[in-house]
Amino acid sequence: MKNYKILSLVFLTAAVTGNAQDIDQAKKAIDAEQYEKAKTMLKNSIQAKADNGKADFLLGSIYLKQSLEDSAKIYFQKGLTATDGARFNTIGLGQMDLENGNAVAAQSKFDQVIKQLKKRDVEEYLYIAQAYMNNSKPDYKAAINLLTKAQLANPNDANVKLILGDAYYGDKSQNDAYVSYRDAYAIDNTLIRAKMQLGVLLKGAKAYVEAIKAYDEVLALNPNYGPLYREYAETYYLWANNKPSTYTENIAKALSNYEKYMSLTDYSLPSRMRHADFLILAKDYKALELEANAMQKLDKVNPRILRYLGYSAYQNGNFDAAIKALTDFTSSSTNKIIAADYYNLGLAKVTKSVSLDGKTVDPAMLTLGITDLKKALEMDIVMTNGLNEVGKKYFALKLYDISSSLFELAITNPNSRNNLEDNVYYGLSVLTENRGKELKDVNVIALQNADRAMDTVITATPNYQEAYLYKARINSTLEKDDVMADTYQKYLDIVIAKGEEEINKNKTKVTEAYNSIAAFYANTDKAKAKDYFGKTLAIDPTNVYATESLKKLK
């Protein structure tokens, strides 16, 4: 009997040790972003020991990271009943409260956990801090406050310094983040991620060459660390976009490194979705279409796949398929809709509004597209940046009703990177649509808005002569002749001040201005009218309008 008790104790000790080792291995897999592998390990651990709260928590956290909230909640609630590690699941449920906007409930749960901690307990602080950081509205200062307490409790805990580095990085405290990551790796050189993050800091500072060199040092230590290749991919992507001359080369490197990242992590549906998100950033829509179809084979009912099918269909020219997929996706209130969903749906409808011969526009379909684009901008005004390129495409095609509609949306964001150019194109689009029509047939409100758009440009760049020219033409169309004449004169003042070469370069526009001002004065001040017609003939002696008008004034 005594021997039996001793053997039981040995087996129990071995089971506890084995379970701890399983948890440690699962945590390493999570760090390496091998989530499916980690999930299998944790499920096996729970099967071996049902009363395993820590495993439930880690498994729930993976599901939460993969946006599978229902599955996460099941494991967190199951883990609450465990005798070992139950309080970690209270943290997991607190993170879900934060994601759902219930900060009070989250704080109550976190306080409940903290009250149970002993002086040198730090792991719970780490997970609470990560809960504050790993949600759609991160609170990095709250995380820093908690991690500072954890650091006081255990100054040489490498994991505390690693997570503190993440918090400082999120809070844009680059120097503090650097110190924390450096110290974490100095304490424990098996923390590869700490060393990798030193390169990530360089990426954030747009020091792309130096960031790649930093990653190369990590690569020499562990060439099979998957997240490293994701950082390579993201750095090459940013480098490509910030230095257009490198775009082709660096986008290719970005895509190949992301493929390497996938091969070292997994090809599960959540991983494929992360890959799809990166393909959208890299604008590789052919590859996105292939990935979307592969995902659909894995899961025919996951609604998020419709997003990828819709985006790729639009970019690859299948507008009907894009409209169907994105309409189905945005029509469900249970889906997490983002601005880009309405943006792509709107652009697909705008494109669909153009006839096959490219000469006419279906106004009803155009209105539907513009409505969706407005929804996108209500969610994220920054998306106006993308309308510049699209609007200019339709302007070049002489589809001015479309280009004016798009630029009208674009100029609603005064802080967009293309705002002044968007205002110019909006004014030009409206002007071109209406110029030459009688006042009763023009869109007066649109022309008045176009006039204000030119005022915006003139205020920002008072020496941009073309803005005065366009404003004068707009007011001519509106038959506001006094404003027209005054604005043409301002145009002339700028051109004349630049000298004879500038006048000759803009001869047609200058004579337009002289003739228009002369016509304005023709009925009220014949001397001034003759003077301006004379200025026209001085630079264009054969100008028919000026010659004939002078004959009538005699």
Side-chain angles (χ1 to χ4, degrees), residues 106-165:
Q107 188 63 57
S108 175
K109 289 181 175 66
F110 298 152
D111 289 343
Q112 178 186 334
V113 172
I114 291 170
K115 285 177 184 177
Q116 301 174 48
L117 301 183
K118 296 176 183 177
K119 185 176 180 180
R120 292 183 65 80
D121 287 340
V122 296
E123 192 174 13
E124 289 83 353
Y125 279 115
L126 298 186
Y127 287 122
I128 295 173
Q130 288 179 317
Y132 276 114
M133 292 190 284
N134 297 337
N135 66 80
S136 55
K137 293 181 180 179
D139 185 344
Y140 296 109
K141 292 193 185 302
I144 291 168
N145 182 50
L146 284 163
L147 292 163
T148 302
K149 291 178 182 177
Q151 190 168 236
L152 288 172
N154 195 342
N156 293 315
D157 190 305
N159 284 300
V160 171
K161 293 187 181 294
L162 173 61
I163 307 304
L164 184 57

Side-chain angles (χ1 to χ4, degrees), residues 3 276 414 451:
N3 288 338
D451 185 46

Side-chain angles (χ1 to χ4, degrees), residues 1 79 91-92 152 158 221 263 316 318 364 367 374:
M1 190 69 175
I91 297 171
L152 288 172
L221 296 170
S263 72
N316 294 330
N318 192 346
T367 298
K374 285 180 180 177

Side-chain angles (χ1 to χ4, degrees), residues 269-323:
L269 186 63
S271 293
R272 285 183 177 275
M273 286 182 173
R274 289 199 305 276
H275 185 210
D277 290 334
F278 188 79
L279 291 172
I280 291 168
L281 287 176
K283 299 180 182 179
D284 190 344
Y285 296 104
K286 294 293 183 185
L288 177 64
E289 187 171 18
L290 293 173
E291 189 69 285
N293 286 319
M295 286 190 283
Q296 198 169 46
K297 291 176 183 176
L298 286 173
D299 189 339
K300 294 183 182 298
V301 298
N302 191 302
R304 193 167 147 193
I305 296 170
L306 291 170
R307 169 182 292 158
Y308 305 122
L309 289 170
Y311 289 14
S312 59
Y314 164 64
Q315 294 291 343
N316 294 330
N318 192 346
F319 306 116
D320 289 327
I323 292 169

